[in-house]
Amino acid sequence: MISVAEEAAHSTYSFIERAAEHVQDGVRWQTLDWHNQPQHTPVIFTGMGGIGFFLADYYRLTGTSAALELARGALDWCASPARERERDPEWEWASNGLMRGRSGLGMAWLSLHRASGDAAHLACAAALGDQLAAVPVGPVTDWQDGAAGEGLFLLRLAEASRDERFLRGAELRAAWLDEVAIKNTGGAYWPWQVEHDEHAGWFGLSFVPGSSGIAHFLLALFQRTQDERWAMLSRAAGETLLHQAVPDKGGLNWPDTLGGFERGEERRCQWCRGASGIALFFTKAHEALGSGERDYLGTAVAAGECTYAYGDARRNPCQCHGLAGSAELFLELHRLTQDALWLDRAEEFARLMLGYRTEASEGDQWQSDDAGYASPDFLYGVSGTGHTFLRLWRPDLLTRPLL
């Protein structure tokens, strides 16, 4: 019998396939910006750059050749020289990052290479890695738009290509993050941007952006290199996060910024802000560092309890700050603990996600971030929701493509 996750994955694929626009330089989709205005943009963040993550992995599970062709067409469009000419100068500071820049597109090429085995796709990712090598590191620190996200792409590129020069690029970014970290009493955290009038005093803790996302990259680099420098810096970041944790709804939660709750910051619990994202650092720390003096897995489980208690707080199914991002944490906790409770909770959230599907004459429609709107993008839209369904369908095979 077909599972809920499998059936929902097919439904989201049909939505994405119908919305595809075949144009001269590839395939594109209309997505929505912050204000729910239509746009055509290649970036991962609110754009179409991440749709290929879903399509490539849908092909891996189903063998649907049309999905692979759409994924390749999407990346052809994103990589067209016309996209560089169309880039908004306002976002030039993020032009190398994961969410709005070259590193995100590189991760998409790696995902397509993993699905297809085509060496040309790996070569496209490597070309982007070479472009990163030619620019200075900084001034942005975070996983979303800065050095941590660039480093993660270069690390994954080094693993796929077995080319050590990309690993050196990842280590260069980690070394810079070590230099600009603010360290005190055994802890560490980062400014969002160094030497910036406003952002140099903004100290995020969340995954997107903040210390937990940065430290997650450092842990991945430690797993690859076994260089104790990255382990020590990750432990220090963990100490700051542990000291900032607060009891919330029977578990643990965190402010978005250092000391934020004392300043009246609203409590939230989602991948981009709060427990369900920060917990990913602690699951990674358990895996990379072991327990030692700190029960990293126990902290992650407490964050999972908080995440479950918040439920559908944002009233949407999406990855960034909706049910899909929370369900991804439950899948990770199930993988590490083998406790069926977490798989049950992931499936429960998947059923809630199904509540955002409606039937129409042309086929199923899926809500994205806001009620009444639909967008095929990955972080705020349908392809990210669909990828969580793919992961629920085959958690033994698929991982989160941006991690």
Side-chain angles (χ1 to χ4, degrees):
M1 183 174 66
I2 189 170
S3 68
V4 167
E6 182 180 354
E7 189 272 332
H10 294 319
S11 173
T12 52
Y13 172 72
S14 295
F15 176 96
I16 292 166
E17 185 182 38
R18 286 197 314 274
E21 303 173 19
H22 295 263
V23 293
Q24 184 175 2
D25 49 358
V27 180
R28 68 179 189 177
W29 285 260
Q30 179 180 282
T31 63
L32 299 175
D33 67 10
W34 282 102
H35 307 291
N36 291 318
Q37 296 303 304
Q39 61 180 357
H40 290 97
T41 176
V43 301
I44 304 294
F45 193 67
T46 73
M48 56 155 284
I51 297 173
F53 293 137
F54 169 80
L55 292 169
D57 282 341
Y58 186 80
Y59 167 75
R60 290 176 68 191
L61 297 195
T62 67
T64 302
S65 59
L68 193 64
E69 292 165 6
L70 285 172
R72 176 59 197 254
L75 287 178
D76 284 342
W77 187 85
C78 290
S80 168
R83 305 293 84 75
E84 198 65 31
R85 295 192 296 270
E86 295 163 359
R87 174 176 282 280
D88 187 344
E90 180 183 350
W91 297 106
E92 188 58 32
W93 61 272
S95 62
N96 290 314
L98 272 181
M99 290 295 98
R100 285 175 273 241
R102 296 179 180 91
S103 295
L105 183 56
M107 290 287 259
W109 281 116
L110 289 178
S111 176
L112 186 58
H113 168 68
R114 188 163 51 247
S116 68
D118 190 334
H121 301 155
L122 181 58
C124 290
L128 290 166
D130 287 333
Q131 289 181 34
L132 287 181
V135 299
V137 181
V140 186
T141 60
D142 73 300
W143 173 91
Q144 176 174 280
D145 293 309
E150 295 170 22
L152 181 64
F153 161 56
L154 290 168
L155 175 61
R156 299 304 178 218
L157 178 57
E159 292 168 346
S161 66
R162 299 193 176 104
D163 191 327
E164 292 296 300
R165 76 181 191 276
F166 298 125
L167 179 61
R168 290 193 294 273
E171 291 176 313
L172 181 65
R173 282 153 179 81
W176 180 80
L177 288 167
D178 193 5
E179 291 172 8
V180 302
I182 300 171
K183 304 171 187 176
N184 55 20
T185 61
Y189 55 94
W190 286 268
W192 183 16
Q193 295 186 39
V194 301
E195 300 178 357
H196 187 283
D197 291 344
E198 179 183 357
H199 302 321
W202 193 91
F203 307 117
L205 301 177
S206 295
F207 205 96
V208 186
S211 293
S212 57
I214 294 170
H216 191 280
F217 155 62
L218 294 168
L219 288 169
L221 186 60
F222 170 68
Q223 286 180 305
R224 172 65 174 79
T225 65
Q226 292 301 298
D227 187 334
E228 188 62 25
R229 180 182 181 184
W230 317 132
M232 290 177 61
L233 188 54
S234 300
R235 289 189 186 97
E239 288 302 301
T240 295
L241 290 169
L242 287 168
H243 285 121
Q244 290 286 306
V246 298
D248 193 6
K249 294 185 181 293
L252 288 176
N253 203 357
W254 285 262
D256 187 37
T257 59
L258 193 73
F261 289 155
E262 287 82 357
R263 298 191 303 274
E265 197 175 273
E266 180 185 358
R267 295 193 182 195
R268 293 185 182 177
C269 186
Q270 52 213 40
W271 175 28
C272 59
R273 180 171 173 179
S276 59
I278 290 175
L280 296 177
F281 163 78
F282 287 104
T283 58
K284 192 76 167 176
H286 168 76
E287 205 168 29
L289 305 175
S291 295
E293 297 180 0
R294 296 296 188 188
D295 183 7
Y296 294 126
L297 184 58
T299 302
V301 166
E305 293 292 351
C306 180
T307 300
Y308 180 72
Y310 268 83
D312 191 13
R314 287 293 297 270
R315 299 291 187 267
N316 73 60
C318 74
Q319 281 264 346
C320 187
H321 44 259
L323 289 162
S326 296
E328 295 279 5
L329 171 60
F330 302 156
L331 285 174
E332 187 68 2
L333 290 171
H334 176 256
R335 183 180 71 84
L336 292 175
T337 66
Q338 292 300 299
D339 186 340
L341 170 69
W342 296 111
L343 185 58
D344 290 344
R345 287 178 169 179
E347 292 171 347
E348 179 182 338
F349 273 36
R351 289 190 290 273
L352 292 173
M353 289 156 63
L354 278 172
Y356 291 94
R357 178 181 64 176
T358 56
E359 295 181 358
S361 58
E362 66 272 23
D364 289 349
Q365 301 291 315
W366 286 85
Q367 180 192 313
S368 51
D369 188 21
D370 292 328
Y373 294 93
S375 176
D377 66 274
F378 192 83
L379 268 295
Y380 282 47
V382 177
S383 61
T385 301
H387 199 274
T388 298
F389 286 128
L390 292 178
R391 292 250 295 135
L392 279 162
W393 179 9
R394 289 295 305 273
D396 58 317
L397 180 63
L398 301 183
T399 60
R400 296 183 83 169
L402 284 166
L403 297 180

